[in-house]
Amino acid sequence: MKIILTSIGTQGDIEPFLAIGKMLKGKGHQVICAFSEQYKELTENCDIEFASLGKKIDDLLESDASRTAMGGGSGIKKFIAFIKLARIQKAPNKEKEVKLYDLIEKEKPDRIVYHSKNIYPLLWEYKNSGKTIFISPFPYLHYVKGHPFLVFNSKNYGEYFNKLTFKLYDFGVVTSSIIAKKWLQINDKISRKQLKNIIHNRKFIYTISPSLFPQPTYWKSNVKILGHQELKRKTNWKPEMELTEFIEKHEKIIFITFGSMTNPEPQQKTNLILEILERNKIPAIINTASGGLIKPDKFNSALICFVSQIPYDWIFPKMYAVIHHGGAGTTHLAVKYGCATMIIPHIIDQFVWDNIIFEMGLGPKGVNLSKLSSKNLEPKILELLNNRSFKEKSTQIGNQMKKEDFKDELYKTIIE
């Protein structure tokens, strides 16, 4: 088969698609991955054909408004940033949908595997029933008792209002589909009811470990939870001697990263964390990654080690605990390798993962990045290190995750 996989967003949105793409290519299928321009090199390093959805969506994600909306500032600043994003996102979204439409019309694939931020595959499903597969690394896109839809999932609003949030989601997706249909000049008469029917009956795979998010028995058979899809990359990465010596020197190290998330105040956030670590003599490895944290000119190098990139499957087994932004991939790997975990959520799904980690006893309740202070963060870090049950529970769940293998079912769901 010829299969197009398409996703938009941060690296955590892209990696599950590349992992699935490598699996499909290994089975002999022709695979094309359609992402924004910034993921060209990552895709080609996986020996997968790349198709560009343009640069405008990358520029939008790197904008000051996006940094504020995703990373910090007061509630008012965030609200203004979201308003600005809503105003300037039309051109980037239109560009990616047009490029995706052109690619699909040209390649005429047998299957399309897609992400929530790509709209055209849902319209394509109208004439190609059963040939699209929706992939989500985020929970709560289907009703779960006691929980509202993903973006509202900070608390239980009661069954009536929880279900209402999923109806709001349906309305939003249908409306976005109608807008995309106009952009693409598609003449097919597709009603809102028909679009809603596609949303509810399409093949849907959660790339989430059931050890963290068990599948409810009352879900329809077209929806499946088929485990985290970890991307195994080819890499020439080797640890520097300074890093290996640091790890050998300390027994109980915290790894800290904000992954691909950025924020308007990386220096301030880094200094706040460093002050707590140095005051309590806590050894830590800090990953500057995409710039959410930065390496200062002066710091206690005997206690703190900075890195700019590092394979998580190499470093996490060597760590006692991980403090991170709460991306789906980082959350899974931290638990898989038995690390006590605390999340400093930035946006949407990261607050959900924070709740899951806390409720499962894998770590303390995290602190919203925009509300971060020494007063509220310091006791959380000390609890993370001193409550042995977090480490024990994470090791237990991690061992369960290591035994999970859904590759055959994942493959059959896509192909059949």
Side-chain angles (χ1 to χ4, degrees), residues 142-154:
H142 292 84
Y143 177 66
V144 177
K145 291 176 183 177
H147 296 271
F149 178 73
L150 174 68
V151 300
F152 300 95
N153 205 21
S154 56

Side-chain angles (χ1 to χ4, degrees), residues 117-176:
K117 295 170 189 171
N118 298 97
I119 301 298
Y120 177 59
L122 192 148
L123 296 167
W124 189 80
E125 169 85 1
Y126 175 69
K127 285 188 172 180
N128 298 273
S129 181
K131 295 184 178 181
T132 69
I133 302 90
F134 188 104
I135 298 288
S136 175
F138 315 128
Y140 302 116
L141 295 188
H142 292 84
Y143 177 66
V144 177
K145 291 176 183 177
H147 296 271
F149 178 73
L150 174 68
V151 300
F152 300 95
N153 205 21
S154 56
K155 63 178 182 178
N156 182 356
Y157 296 96
E159 185 176 4
Y160 176 79
F161 287 104
N162 285 346
K163 288 184 175 180
L164 182 61
T165 63
F166 289 89
K167 291 181 179 180
L168 289 172
Y169 167 69
D170 286 350
F171 178 82
V173 175
V174 168
T175 301
S176 297

Side-chain angles (χ1 to χ4, degrees), residues 15 33 90 133 167 180 199 228 231 256 297 333 343 345:
E15 289 194 354
C33 280
K90 179 180 176 180
I133 302 90
K167 291 181 179 180
I199 292 168
H228 173 61
L231 177 63
I256 303 173
D297 294 331
L333 292 179
I343 291 174

Side-chain angles (χ1 to χ4, degrees), residues 7-11 14 35-41 50-64 66-67 70 85 88-89 91-93 95-96 262:
S7 181
I8 286 291
T10 63
Q11 198 155 310
I14 303 300
F35 306 137
S36 63
E37 189 65 30
Q38 68 170 309
Y39 298 112
K40 184 176 190 293
E41 183 179 354
F50 174 80
S52 177
L53 297 182
K55 287 183 87 297
K56 288 182 181 179
I57 201 74
D58 293 334
D59 294 339
L60 178 68
L61 292 172
E62 290 297 322
S63 67
D64 290 339
S66 181
R67 287 174 184 269
M70 289 196 285
L85 276 178
I88 64 177
Q89 69 179 350
N93 283 331
E95 179 190 59
K96 70 165 172 72
T262 57

Side-chain angles (χ1 to χ4, degrees), residues 7 47 414:
S7 181
D47 294 324
I414 293 171

Side-chain angles (χ1 to χ4, degrees), residues 15 20 164 193 285 350 360:
E15 289 194 354
I20 293 170
L164 182 61
K193 184 177 180 180
I285 296 171
Q350 296 167 8
M360 291 188 69

